Amino acid sequence: MVSMIITGALMVAARGKGFYMGLILVWAVPFALMLWNLAYQFVILLPLSKTVLPIAAPTLYLWIVDTLALRRGTWVIESGTKLEWHIWDGLEVEEAVFFLATNVLIVFGLIAFDNALTILRAFPSLYPVVPSLPSPVLLVQALVTPTRAYDVGRINGLQQALDRLRTKSKSFYLASSVFEGRLRIDMIALYSFCRVADDLVDNAKSTSEAQHWIAQLTRYLDIRYSDTSEKSSQCPTFIYSTFPENCQASLLLLPTDYLSPTPLYDLLKGFETDLHFSSSENPFPIKDVDMLQTYASRVAATVAELCLELVYHHSAATISESKRKEIVHSGGRMGIALQYINISRDIAVDASNGRVYLPTSWLKGLELSPEDIVSEPGSVEAESLRQRLLDVAMKIYEEAKDAIEQLPVEARGPMRVAVESYIEIGRVLRTPGYMVKAGRATVPKIRRLRVAWNALKN
């Protein structure tokens, strides 16, 4: 690139046929060189679909349009200042290089900006406070931060968390993409912890093993929320010595410094309810609607409350404590609605595992037992109960959804996407002949994107 700058300068100084090309090189190449030096590591690691394609596609389009304009005489390059070389008939080489250089600068600039923001937001230990609009000086400072200063364990942990979210929940993976900055990172970390904890219990080979993991997770929370000065070293040691390697990063990333402990402990109580399905004394613990609501509160309302705690932690908006409690309560109610939709979707999958989350009191009203649902989850009666539970879920959703508009402005759109993406599953379940994949109703990708777009527009 340095030789191109020198060549361009010589062309400009000569003021001959290479004058226009020299001006282009002197203008574009220094900035391209600067951007390359600042972000070349990130550029190299990106797939070609994120670098070459965004440059090549608009460049080809502009070449074609420019060819038509030059042939019509819309504009011309002054004779004596151009090389008289052509890419093809009608397209001067100077015009081709100009558009190529412009798109290179745009794409490299966006990549460098994105890389800088990522560094600023991903490493709070290096940059404790990051303004919503970082200054150019701060952006450059981030780009020149040596890679040896990066917290590699945090990078790998976030990558694992993102992969887990992409694999386990398409709805929330889509929703996470519209949250911004450190709020998005913490949301992903929270989801990853909840998923890891749930999998440890669900994938246990016996009830005693599941109880063991609940006890270890409880001990983990005890350490994280202890007041002892040794917890910063005690917690990682406990995690590395106790939990499987693929779970450790999620436990380390959970932002307990600004999350309340009660919802996390309640989440573990919800896991304890699931263990009853393996017991002989109480194999179907969801006896009535109250028990169903208690269960949903523990495994879903708690997560909704934690999400809202993250929203308010990362927001500069001010709100009274009473109003905040009201919104968090509505968020918990929304979490219950989403869990009811989850239960409605998974009747067949749960039945295959010997679980029935539909209230036994509802089953008795149809002269059924939980065993009947386990044996025939696709029966007409089971479908009627699915629709009944969906009715309850949609009623709660309608009552709670207005609270979203009272959230900080930066969180409203993303939270609408998160809620509507999951509520759409309920709407699909009301449609005859809905698509089923692995025993679960699914929302087609195009439909999910349309729902997200409409939620952001509103």
Side-chain angles (χ1 to χ4, degrees):
M1 288 191 186
V2 173
S3 62
M4 293 173 67
I5 296 172
I6 295 173
T7 301
L10 293 174
M11 286 180 171
V12 172
R15 291 190 172 273
K17 290 186 175 182
F19 182 69
Y20 185 24
M21 178 64 79
L23 289 175
I24 295 171
L25 295 177
V26 171
W27 157 71
V29 179
F31 287 103
L33 179 61
M34 179 189 70
L35 292 170
W36 178 259
N37 284 325
L38 289 174
Y40 73 93
Q41 291 174 314
F42 192 39
V43 174
I44 291 172
L45 292 174
L46 286 173
L48 296 180
S49 60
K50 302 294 189 297
T51 54
V52 174
L53 183 60
I55 293 172
T59 297
L60 180 60
Y61 167 77
L62 291 170
W63 282 0
I64 294 171
V65 172
D66 192 54
T67 300
L68 297 175
L70 288 170
R71 287 177 178 175
R72 291 177 179 177
T74 305
W75 61 74
V76 295
I77 303 174
E78 184 179 351
S79 298
T81 63
K82 58 184 178 179
L83 295 171
E84 303 290 352
W85 298 346
H86 295 79
I87 300 297
W88 57 60
D89 184 34
L91 180 61
E92 306 274 3
V93 68
E94 289 85 357
E95 291 289 284
V97 171
F98 172 78
F99 288 120
L100 175 62
T102 299
N103 288 316
V104 167
L105 292 177
I106 292 172
V107 172
F108 277 23
L110 290 173
I111 290 174
F113 182 76
D114 188 47
N115 189 19
L117 281 182
T118 301
I119 295 168
L120 292 174
R121 292 167 173 173
F123 303 118
S125 60
L126 297 177
Y127 302 97
V129 179
V130 178
S132 56
L133 292 175
S135 68
V137 173
L138 185 57
L139 293 172
V140 172
Q141 182 182 344
L143 289 172
V144 299
T145 300
T147 54
R148 64 178 178 274
Y150 295 173
D151 185 342
V152 178
R154 182 173 173 82
I155 295 173
N156 293 335
L158 290 173
Q159 185 60 58
Q160 288 177 22
L162 192 60
D163 291 342
R164 188 172 288 116
L165 177 60
R166 183 190 298 112
T167 303
K168 297 289 187 176
S169 177
K170 292 182 174 61
S171 296
F172 286 130
Y173 177 68
L174 174 63
S176 74
S177 65
V178 292
F179 283 98
E180 295 183 1
R182 289 182 177 170
L183 173 58
R184 183 191 182 205
I185 291 173
D186 283 343
M187 286 283 195
I188 293 172
L190 173 61
Y191 175 89
S192 184
F193 167 79
C194 295
R195 175 51 60 187
V196 161
D198 187 48
D199 286 347
L200 281 172
V201 177
D202 269 357
N203 297 337
K205 294 181 174 59
S206 64
T207 301
S208 60
E209 183 184 344
Q211 290 171 336
H212 165 77
W213 287 124
I214 292 175
Q216 296 305 323
L217 288 165
T218 302
R219 175 61 181 150
Y220 157 78
L221 292 178
D222 291 342
I223 296 173
R224 289 296 295 261
Y225 286 103
S226 67
D227 295 328
T228 60
S229 57
E230 295 84 10
K231 73 174 182 179
S232 60
S233 59
Q234 186 181 5
C235 192
T237 301
F238 175 73
I239 290 171
Y240 292 135
S241 63
T242 306
F243 293 96
E245 185 177 353
N246 63 341
C247 301
Q248 294 168 1
S250 292
L251 299 172
L252 291 168
L253 286 175
L254 184 67
T256 51
D257 290 344
Y258 37 87
L259 288 176
S260 300
T262 301
L264 292 167
Y265 282 107
D266 285 345
L267 178 65
L268 299 184
K269 291 179 182 178
F271 296 160
E272 290 175 350
T273 301
D274 286 330
L275 298 187
H276 286 293
F277 288 106
S278 302
S279 71
S280 55
E281 296 83 9
N282 186 23
F284 300 104
I286 310 299
K287 302 298 183 184
D288 51 34
V289 174
D290 289 341
M291 187 61 216
L292 175 64
Q293 181 171 317
T294 299
Y295 173 74
S297 296
R298 289 173 175 172
V299 300
T302 52
V303 179
E305 291 171 12
L306 291 167
C307 288
L308 292 179
E309 287 188 6
L310 291 177
V311 166
Y312 284 111
H313 172 77
H314 289 286
S315 174
T318 56
I319 187 173
S320 67
E321 187 60 27
S322 60
K323 191 65 176 177
R324 176 172 170 168
K325 287 181 178 178
E326 178 185 330
I327 294 172
V328 170
H329 173 73
S330 295
R333 292 286 292 162
M334 185 65 78
I336 291 173
L338 300 186
Q339 182 62 23
Y340 285 179
I341 289 174
N342 187 58
I343 292 171
S344 300
R345 180 194 63 184
D346 291 349
I347 290 176
V349 173
D350 291 331
S352 67
N353 294 318
R355 297 182 178 187
V356 177
Y357 291 94
L358 296 168
T360 303
S361 59
W362 286 8
L363 300 176
K364 288 180 178 179
L366 296 177
E367 299 182 354
L368 296 174
S369 67
E371 289 84 358
D372 294 325
I373 300 299
V374 170
S375 61
E376 293 187 67
S379 66
V380 173
E381 292 82 2
E383 184 59 34
S384 69
L385 292 173
R386 187 203 312 276
Q387 297 304 320
R388 182 177 177 181
L389 186 55
L390 285 173
D391 288 340
V392 177
M394 292 302 183
K395 184 175 185 294
I396 298 173
Y397 159 72
E398 291 294 338
E399 293 170 351
K401 69 177 183 179
D402 289 343
I404 295 176
E405 305 312 315
Q406 301 175 54
L407 291 173
V409 174
E410 65 272 18
R412 290 175 195 169
M415 198 62 72
R416 276 198 300 269
V417 173
V419 170
E420 293 298 330
S421 295
Y422 219 83
I423 289 293
E424 195 66 15
I425 297 173
R427 298 189 181 107
V428 166
L429 288 168
R430 291 178 177 274
T431 306
Y434 52 79
M435 184 186 302
V436 176
K437 186 177 182 180
R440 293 184 169 105
T442 60
V443 182
K445 186 173 182 179
I446 295 298
R447 183 168 174 173
R448 289 201 307 270
L449 292 173
R450 184 170 65 247
V451 168
W453 175 253
N454 290 333
L456 288 174
K457 284 199 303 181
N458 292 336

